[in-house]
Amino acid sequence: MKKALITGITGQDGSYLTELLLEKGYEVHGIIRRASSFNTGRLEHLFSPDSHLPRQNLHLHYGDLTDSVALVKLLYELKPDEVYNLGAQSHVRVSFDVPESTGDIVGLGTQRILEAIRDTGLAGRVRFYQASSSEMYGKVQEVPQTEKTPFWPRSPYACAKVYGYWLTVNYRESYGMHASNGILFNHESPRRGETFVTRKITRAATRIKLGLQDALYLGNMDAKRDWGYAKDYVEMMWRMLQQDEPDDYVVATNETHSVREFVEETFAALDLDWKQYVKHDARYERPAEVDLLIGDPAKAKRQLGWEPKVKFKELVKIMVEADLELARRELAVHQAMK
């Protein structure tokens, strides 16, 4: 039985990756941060007696990417075959407000876990996945973006991700580590955090449909992104670590759509005129915007046989249906309390 360690296991990608690895027969360990309230909501279904997945193979450990001692101790104890570094302060707009914390977690956090792997003598046996980001391209130097496109980060988050990317390459070249970067373009799902723009849109639109909310406030609606389905993308993470040689891959759909298009598609699915409900709020504008992202996943298709199954319209539909059900439950609670 292979053993995997996941940082950021409680996030969108971490939860989908956990399901995938359990289905493949892995023993899965995840690092979670101590909090005053439960933060494992995306994993709760896996611990249910009704789960078809072997919950006895899932183990959670308290730890943090800012705590190198805890990382070393955990690696000594577990000796995993694969490590997936998904932990981050991943909200780009928030990274402008807390740049030091973002750099500590996203940038130095990557260094801490790579160094912990080396310190524990596991560099020759552990396979390491680094969650890199399309935000590293920032002010894009070519369209579409490939593995060879130069980076031009436009936020503290993106700068920290560039640092983590090159550290991964450096540890691969310096210590012979099987370390790979997945340059994932925007990927969404019903498990996306509600402060991220796509989920903010689908959550608000479904609540507006049922009379639970009056308006939706957004920043730049002209920004264009390459949006895929998170459940598709975690498969690519796993595939990277099954290769004989480590490498870096763009994971994307090779389609770009504006925030405005996402809004239009969402509200149309609910038979609503978005112009009646969507308003601009400058507070959601970034100090430095990333105008256009579109990735070319040709290398991933060629070398790993991967291509996305879910494209833009189906992705929006999946998210709208899930949030509409959530809104219906919320409405039922409101009505029951009257």
Side-chain angles (χ1 to χ4, degrees), residues 32 46 71 76 100 118 184-185 207 209 223 232 237 241 271 292 304 323:
I32 62 172
L46 297 175
L71 293 173
Y76 263 126
E100 183 178 341
R118 196 170 74 90
L184 271 61
F185 281 64
R207 295 184 83 248
K209 178 68 175 179
D232 284 348
M237 300 176 186
L241 298 198
D271 296 317
L292 168 66
L304 303 182
D323 273 332

Side-chain angles (χ1 to χ4, degrees), residues 24 34 171 235 247 332:
K24 292 183 178 298
R34 172 72 177 90
Y171 273 70
E235 180 188 344
D247 208 340

Side-chain angles (χ1 to χ4, degrees), residues 51-64:
S51 175
H52 70 284
L53 295 171
R55 65 183 188 275
Q56 72 274 11
N57 292 341
L58 174 58
H59 310 273
L60 302 179
H61 309 265
Y62 285 120
D64 200 291

Side-chain angles (χ1 to χ4, degrees), residues 7 31-33 62-75 104-105 108-113 116:
T7 72
I31 297 175
I32 62 172
R33 287 179 294 169
Y62 285 120
D64 200 291
L65 284 171
T66 62
D67 188 344
S68 57
V69 173
L71 293 173
V72 168
K73 289 172 69 175
L74 191 57
L75 285 165
D104 190 18
I105 297 166
L108 291 176
T110 303
Q111 184 161 38
R112 291 185 188 102
I113 195 160

Side-chain angles (χ1 to χ4, degrees), residues 27-156:
E27 179 181 312
V28 179
H29 295 260
I31 297 175
I32 62 172
R33 287 179 294 169
R34 172 72 177 90
S36 58
S37 58
F38 290 112
N39 56 3
T40 55
R42 294 182 180 95
L43 300 172
E44 284 179 359
H45 66 288
L46 297 175
F47 291 103
S48 166
D50 300 325
S51 175
H52 70 284
L53 295 171
R55 65 183 188 275
Q56 72 274 11
N57 292 341
L58 174 58
H59 310 273
L60 302 179
H61 309 265
Y62 285 120
D64 200 291
L65 284 171
T66 62
D67 188 344
S68 57
V69 173
L71 293 173
V72 168
K73 289 172 69 175
L74 191 57
L75 285 165
Y76 263 126
E77 176 189 342
L78 298 178
K79 296 181 174 57
D81 300 287
E82 298 171 3
V83 174
Y84 296 84
N85 184 32
L86 312 184
Q89 188 301 101
S90 59
H91 198 288
V92 178
R93 178 62 190 84
V94 172
S95 77
F96 286 98
D97 300 323
V98 288
E100 183 178 341
S101 174
T102 300
D104 190 18
I105 297 166
V106 178
L108 291 176
T110 303
Q111 184 161 38
R112 291 185 188 102
I113 195 160
L114 283 167
E115 191 64 9
I117 290 171
R118 196 170 74 90
D119 282 349
T120 50
L122 299 174
R125 58 161 288 184
V126 166
R127 297 192 171 195
F128 177 80
Y129 171 83
Q130 168 64 10
S132 291
S133 168
S134 60
E135 287 286 334
M136 300 187 305
Y137 295 118
K139 189 175 180 180
V140 298
Q141 301 302 292
E142 63 179 358
V143 177
Q145 293 86 58
T146 72
E147 292 81 4
K148 295 182 179 179
T149 303
F151 301 137
W152 193 316
R154 299 266 284 173
S155 68

